[in-house]
Amino acid sequence: MQYSQKVLDHFMKPHNVGKIEKADIEATEGSPACGDQVSIYLNINEETNVIEDIKFQSYGCASNIATGSIITDMAKGKTLEEAKKITWKEAADALDGLPPVKMHCSVLAVDTLRKAIKKYEIKQGLIPEEKFSKKTIVEELKKVIYPGVGEDIVTLKMVKYIGFEDGIVTIDVEIPKFDKYRDNVAEEIKEHLESYEEIKDIKITL
Ligand code: FES
């Protein structure tokens, strides 16, 4: 697999690695695509909402470690508002690109940062706790990367229908019968959604 020099540099000497013992907030996320995990720890200035310290621990692959390193660099010194706008594409670009099948690794790192920020904002009463809705499903589907091109299935307009009624999620995805990633995509959709207690069943039509 072809990695950029920047990915290799951040993988070999990652920045901001470790745990903040007295972190204001921490979040851990796992990737349904590969089972890897990343944790992010934040210390935030209560007056200014600036991220003063940030560290990460990765139990993932080289791309995940490199993305953890670059996004913690990118987020340090930023306000929460600025940091939550960092996208996985920006992180991948800052690493001079990632192979398409590895894009989910940068999604995982960025998603964990966003989760930590959201947890902090809820804890501080800055935002209300979000209720589960169709929007939640769309947000989860935006994390499902089609490995063939390294882009999410919502942006690629592969999702044709989303329904949610009586705890049953119905999703229609357009993907050719002969596509080798068909089963991976279906599996990943399920794994992203099944942790929500509001969901009782997931029906995917491919
Ligand atoms: Fe698991 Fe990269 S393959 S995070």
Side-chain angles (χ1 to χ4, degrees), residues 88-89 107 137-162 171-175 179 181-182 184-190 192-193 204-206:
W88 56 268
K89 280 202 200 93
V107 173
I137 301 172
V138 177
E139 288 310 312
E140 286 302 326
L141 294 180
K142 282 187 190 160
K143 298 176 198 165
V144 177
I145 303 297
Y146 173 67
V149 288
E151 187 63 84
D152 74 88
I153 59 171
V154 174
T155 305
L156 288 172
K157 301 198 176 7
M158 292 167 78
V159 181
K160 297 297 174 198
Y161 174 80
I162 301 170
I171 301 171
D172 288 354
V173 183
E174 197 172 73
I175 186 164
D179 193 298
Y181 297 116
R182 228 171 119 84
N184 301 49
V185 169
E187 201 48 39
E188 225 191 299
I189 293 173
K190 273 199 185 140
H192 269 282
L193 294 174
I204 304 169
T205 312
L206 296 170

Side-chain angles (χ1 to χ4, degrees), residues 31 33-37 59-64 101-102 104-106 108:
S31 162
C34 62
D36 293 340
Q37 258 194 359
Y59 307 92
C61 67
S63 305
N64 182 251
V101 289
K102 287 285 172 183
H104 75 267
C105 318
S106 69
L108 172 63

